[in-house]
Each structure stands twice: as C-alpha cells, then as structure tokens.
Amino acid sequence: MDEKSQAREVLKSLAEDVAEAASYLRELGVDGLEGLTPSAAEPRTPAREERTAPKPHTLSPALKRHASVERPATPPKPSPPQFPQANKAGEPPPTLYQTAMPKKPVRKPSPDPPAPRETLFGDITPKDELSLGQPGETFEDIRADIGECVRCPLHQGRTKIVHTEGDPKARLLFVGEAPGADEDATGRPFVGRAGQLLNKIIEAIGLKREDVLIGNVNRCRPPGNRTPTTEEARTCKPFLLREINIARPDVIVVLGNTAMKNLLDTKEGITRLRGEFQDYKGIKVMPTFHPAYLLRDPSKKREVWDDMKKVRDYLNSTKK
C-alpha cells in the first residue's frame, strides 16, 4: 500500500472513531461537548472507557513528510441534489422520490396556528387545527389529517411517511425517535436491524409484534439519520399524543434518549431515568435504550432485559 492510500485509511478510521464516539455520547444524553469536564461527566467504568476510547493512530516519518508537502488542489465534489421548497399554497413540491410517494390527500396547514389547548397530556401548541384531536376519532382519522404532510422541512427528503402500526387496543406501546432508511423505504416502523432486535425483545416478554403498538415521535426520516430538531418534533408530536389518547396503553416504552425527552418533556438523560417507571398522566412509562444502540454496544442488552422484565411483570400483575 502506497503512502497516499495508507494516509487515507488512517483518516477514514479516525473519522469512524469520532462518529461512533459522538453517537455513544448522544445516546447517553450528552447534547454537546462544551463544558463537559471530568467532574461533570458521568463516572465511567474501565470497561466502558476501553470500549469507547478512539484507537491510537501514529504516522510514520514518511507519512509525516508526505502530509507536510503542499498538495495540488482537488477538483470540487459535485453538489448534492437540491430539493425545491414548498410553494406559497403549502402544497408539496416535486421531489426525487415523487414516484414512490403514496397517493394520499394533501392536508394544508392553516395560516394561523390555534392557541395552545389543554389535552390529556397537558398543553400542546399545535401547528394547525388538524393536529388537534376530536372526540371519538380513530387511527384512520389521524392518518387522514396527516395526509401528505408538509408541516416541517422533513417532507422534502422523505420517501414515505411512517405511521404507528399494531393493535390500537394494545396495552403496550413502543416509541422511538424517527424512521431510518429501511423504514423510510417501506413506510413501516422498526423493520431494519434495530427492528429485528426489537421483535426479539417483544417475543422475550411473551408477546408478538402484532400484540403491541410501535411508532416514533417523528414520522419522516431526518437527512442522514440526524436527530430531529425541536421544531420538527413539536410539529409531529401531537399526532402521537392523539394515538395514545385513543389506545390508552397501560405501559409506554420509550426507546432512547431523544424519544424519552420528547415524550416526557424532561432534561434528564436516559442513563439517569432508564429502568424506573415514570408516571405520565396516569400511564406508566419505561425509558430504556434504543435497539440501534444495543447493536453498537451489546453489553447494554442485560440492562434492557432487566427493564423489560419490569414491564412484563407490571402487565401481568394488572391483567384484566
């Protein structure tokens, strides 16, 4: 391998380490690195430090000489495709994925959002009247209100809207953060590798996927699987609350730090609250790690299993 190839491999490996460390910190509830000192950080075990520390990389003298040599300018990378903005009427613009979009009615947001309304889950500030529930509504009514949603920028790059699925009368609801690539392509929640692991978790407590409800705070995939912004989550959250109001599950399992913070409206991190039931307007909420996080750190499966046993025992003890 020549020096240029070796340098590229070193840089690629460093980039992967940085991305993995950032993802690990995000799951632990660290939103930024500013002000993170040893005294403010969570105590970590030697095993975790060994697992998350980036791999050391050293450059050979030849590579150091190569890095100091001025390199010729490289041709600019081609610009990514630009998605057109929504027009003044609020209708969705044509996108690269238009041929794959499901044919549903476009529900246009009202120009003047209504005032916050007291709901079963406290005050919410809806984007428009369609985000507010009505007595006696169904899951189908909510989907009709969502339509081909253009309420936030996430609609510009999605392939399909990913709705909550499962038994509307289920006693157990799983809530994640937002769809990933597999979910965006199929229009179904938790169908990728993380979804397959979630299926095993559900089966481990004596249930099947069709016995529960599974959904996300946001129904459209954020670009590059980034965390949904506060405004994006606030726009989509009322539809999830309406579904919870219909289903009235006995337990909600929030998967991961972002879903937990959005549903419980808390600033606490997942490591502090996981494993203990939270009371949310009379509904038990169990925060635990996201299955995608378990794929990155399998050692956390034991903690999730302990959390799910508490959920199973509670459901069995309150069975009607």
Side-chain angles (χ1 to χ4, degrees):
M1 181 182 296
D2 57 29
E3 292 184 353
K4 289 184 178 180
S5 299
Q6 186 176 354
R8 282 195 295 268
E9 291 298 321
V10 170
L11 293 175
K12 180 180 177 182
S13 180
L14 283 171
E16 292 175 351
D17 287 336
V18 171
E20 182 178 355
S23 178
Y24 189 89
L25 287 172
R26 190 179 100 185
E27 187 65 35
L28 293 180
V30 179
D31 296 323
L33 299 181
E34 294 82 358
L36 185 61
T37 61
S39 60
E42 291 287 336
R44 307 201 310 180
T45 62
R48 179 179 295 178
E49 291 175 356
E50 179 181 354
R51 186 168 55 249
T52 59
K55 302 175 183 177
H57 295 282
T58 57
L59 295 177
S60 65
L63 281 176
K64 290 180 180 179
R65 289 195 304 273
H66 175 72
S68 65
V69 176
E70 185 176 354
R71 302 175 183 174
T74 56
K77 296 181 179 179
S79 300
Q82 298 296 319
F83 295 99
Q85 299 297 319
N87 57 33
K88 294 182 179 180
E91 296 178 353
T95 71
L96 294 181
Y97 311 103
Q98 191 166 21
T99 57
M101 294 288 283
K103 300 298 182 181
K104 297 179 183 177
V106 175
R107 307 288 290 207
K108 301 176 183 178
S110 57
D112 299 317
R117 180 183 296 183
E118 175 67 24
T119 71
L120 173 67
F121 305 97
D123 284 338
I124 62 172
T125 304
K127 195 75 172 179
D128 53 63
E129 289 288 353
L130 295 176
S131 302
L132 292 171
Q134 301 297 329
E137 69 180 354
T138 65
F139 274 56
E140 289 72 22
D141 294 330
I142 295 174
R143 291 194 179 194
D145 284 350
I146 293 171
E148 285 298 339
C149 186
V150 295
R151 293 172 176 82
C152 80
L154 292 183
H155 79 275
Q156 298 176 9
R158 71 169 181 242
T159 303
K160 292 183 179 179
I161 296 176
V162 181
H163 293 290
T164 303
E165 75 171 26
D167 183 359
K169 299 180 180 179
R171 301 178 63 206
L172 178 59
L173 165 65
F174 290 89
V175 176
E177 171 183 317
D182 293 311
E183 291 75 21
D184 178 63
T186 62
R188 298 185 60 207
F190 285 89
V191 293
R193 292 181 61 215
Q196 294 169 14
L197 180 54
L198 179 60
N199 290 343
K200 294 180 180 178
I201 293 173
I202 295 171
E203 293 170 358
I205 60 172
L207 296 172
K208 297 179 181 179
R209 183 182 173 104
E210 54 266 29
D211 297 329
V212 304
L213 275 169
I214 302 175
N216 290 289
V217 175
N218 276 86
R219 299 178 187 236
C220 296
R221 181 195 182 199
N225 286 349
R226 65 163 171 77
T227 303
T229 65
T230 301
E231 180 61 25
E232 290 164 353
R234 185 183 296 120
T235 300
C236 214
K237 178 180 173 181
F239 297 110
L240 175 65
L241 298 186
R242 288 168 61 181
E243 291 175 335
I244 294 174
N245 189 36
I246 295 172
R248 301 293 182 101
D250 293 327
V251 179
I252 301 173
V253 176
V254 281
L255 301 168
N257 196 60
T258 303
M260 180 196 72
K261 287 186 173 182
N262 274 298
L263 191 63
L264 296 181
D265 193 24
T266 179
K267 294 183 179 179
E268 294 285 354
I270 189 74
T271 54
R272 292 184 180 275
L273 296 185
R274 63 140 292 274
E276 297 297 332
F277 278 117
Q278 308 297 311
D279 183 73
Y280 187 52
K281 305 297 181 180
I283 297 177
K284 295 286 187 181
V285 178
M286 173 60 74
T288 194
F289 294 125
H290 196 286
Y293 179 59
L294 301 182
L295 294 175
R296 299 192 298 270
D297 188 355
S299 67
K300 298 299 181 184
K301 289 183 179 180
R302 172 56 60 181
E303 295 175 44
V304 173
W305 174 232
D306 290 340
D307 300 343
M308 294 308 301
K309 284 191 292 185
K310 293 179 181 179
V311 171
R312 178 195 62 190
D313 294 344
Y314 177 79
L315 290 174
N316 289 339
S317 66
T318 58
K319 186 178 296 185
K320 299 177 183 179

